[in-house]
Amino acid sequence: PSVRMVLLKGADANGFVFFTDYRSRKGRELTENPRAALCMWWDVLQRQVRIEGTIERISAAESLKYFSTRPYGSQVGAWASLQSSVLAARDMLELEVKKFFEMYPEGTEVPLPHHWGGYRLTPESIEFWQGRPSRLHDRIVFTRSGDTWAIGRLSP
């Protein structure tokens, strides 16, 4: 398994959404094994939420809706960067960025790259963890079977 921090951009009844370059390491890994886990940590509260489930790409229309809200430089960057690939020199990336700045001048619409978009994690389990100084933490887990959720308690 590998891990990568992502920016959670949406959460609703259908699942949890984040965006990336489909050609990146995480994109390739999610294509090969469409399962993932999310972990959110709140140090001050000593709380954690873990979510496990299946992954699927969201529609191009959903990806475009988010892509169009991104800053201009981030839109161009999605075209210019081959995320996760070895970069021989920073200059090469800067030349690619310049090329796409010229191709899509500021103020013009930057199209959604075919290699970039969102994923939705559909949860199968959600664990809520509450830390305690005694290390006898509280762990409550919800597990889905079809449309039904069961609740349980895990040993710390």
Side-chain angles (χ1 to χ4, degrees), residues 31-83:
T31 296
E32 292 170 15
N33 179 12
R35 299 194 50 74
L38 306 176
C39 184
M40 294 164 272
W41 168 247
W42 291 272
D43 182 48
V44 170
L45 300 174
Q46 288 292 292
R47 289 188 180 163
Q48 172 181 278
V49 177
R50 281 190 85 254
I51 304 163
E52 296 178 359
T54 57
I55 289 281
E56 65 182 349
R57 286 187 185 184
I58 65 173
S59 70
E62 288 175 283
S63 291
L64 177 59
K65 183 177 178 182
Y66 171 68
F67 184 79
S68 66
T69 69
R70 298 180 84 207
Y72 168 69
S74 297
Q75 291 179 352
V76 170
W79 280 100
S81 174
L82 182 53
Q83 191 179 55

Side-chain angles (χ1 to χ4, degrees), residues 2-45:
S2 68
V3 65
R4 175 75 171 129
M5 187 180 299
V6 296
L7 296 174
L8 186 62
K9 290 296 184 178
D12 60 24
N14 296 316
F16 301 85
V17 176
F18 62 93
F19 295 84
T20 193
D21 188 317
Y22 295 139
R23 304 167 302 176
S24 68
R25 178 179 174 184
K26 75 178 148 299
R28 293 188 316 270
E29 288 174 347
L30 291 171
T31 296
E32 292 170 15
N33 179 12
R35 299 194 50 74
L38 306 176
C39 184
M40 294 164 272
W41 168 247
W42 291 272
D43 182 48
V44 170
L45 300 174

